[in-house]
Amino acid sequence: MSAICPTKVDEVFGLSRTLKHYSIPIYGSSVAAGFPSPADEYLEGKLDLNQHLIHHPLATYFVRVSGESMLGAGIHPGDLLIVDRSIDARDGKIIVAVVNGELLVKRLKLEGDRAILVAENPDYPQLRITEAMEFQVWGVVTNVIHPV
């Protein structure tokens, strides 16, 4: 597998090295998804989503999803992926890769020194990476943000 290319990613995604931090209120009680429970009016404090979703700010970027090949992994068209370039792309991880100039999001399956990119939708075939293909891992997906 090829190494991650930070400069190229920065160019493609127009990354900025400045981050804005927003603190959003977080309540100390949880929300019942089953039967209702008495509401606590206890504000626990502020929550900065950067602290929970972005562990390596200088190696992280966002990318929007198109297509339905990853529906089984909970990744839908229009979702926003948080991708970390500093995490090793290991077997079973969902990655963003460039294959022959095309950006893809797939689950990485390793068989010896061979990589296979697996869709999470039975309507899409897996892609076996060959030596004749241009292949670079551009990061590991750490979180998915989508509307409900």
Side-chain angles (χ1 to χ4, degrees):
M1 283 184 282
S2 299
I4 298 166
C5 180
T7 305
K8 185 73 171 174
V9 174
D10 292 350
E11 291 170 11
V12 171
F13 295 107
L15 295 181
S16 170
R17 295 298 182 204
T18 60
L19 295 175
K20 293 183 180 177
H21 294 276
Y22 298 99
S23 293
I24 310 295
I26 182 169
Y27 287 87
S29 63
S30 56
V31 176
F35 295 104
S37 65
D40 290 341
E41 293 185 20
Y42 177 71
L43 182 62
E44 185 176 311
K46 301 283 184 174
L47 173 71
D48 181 350
L49 291 177
N50 291 302
Q51 291 176 338
H52 293 276
L53 299 178
I54 302 173
H55 300 289
H56 306 106
L58 297 179
T60 300
Y61 66 92
F62 298 89
V63 65
R64 191 147 322 263
V65 176
S66 66
E68 299 182 342
S69 72
M70 296 302 287
L71 288 176
I75 299 173
H76 302 90
D79 284 356
L80 193 62
L81 302 179
I82 301 175
V83 184
D84 190 329
R85 297 175 299 187
S86 69
I87 298 174
D88 289 334
R90 291 179 282 143
D91 186 58
K93 294 285 188 182
I94 296 176
I95 64 167
V96 172
V98 177
V99 179
N100 296 331
E102 183 180 353
L103 276 175
L104 301 173
V105 58
K106 298 286 186 260
R107 188 171 303 278
L108 179 63
K109 181 177 179 185
L110 298 175
E111 291 182 350
D113 62 348
R114 296 282 184 194
I116 302 169
L117 300 182
V118 180
E120 294 282 338
N121 181 335
D123 294 337
Y124 292 81
Q126 63 184 18
L127 177 61
R128 290 185 177 275
I129 303 301
T130 67
E131 290 181 17
M133 297 173 151
E134 173 194 340
F135 174 66
Q136 280 189 318
V137 173
W138 274 17
V140 174
V141 175
T142 58
N143 292 279
V144 178
I145 301 171
H146 66 258
V148 292

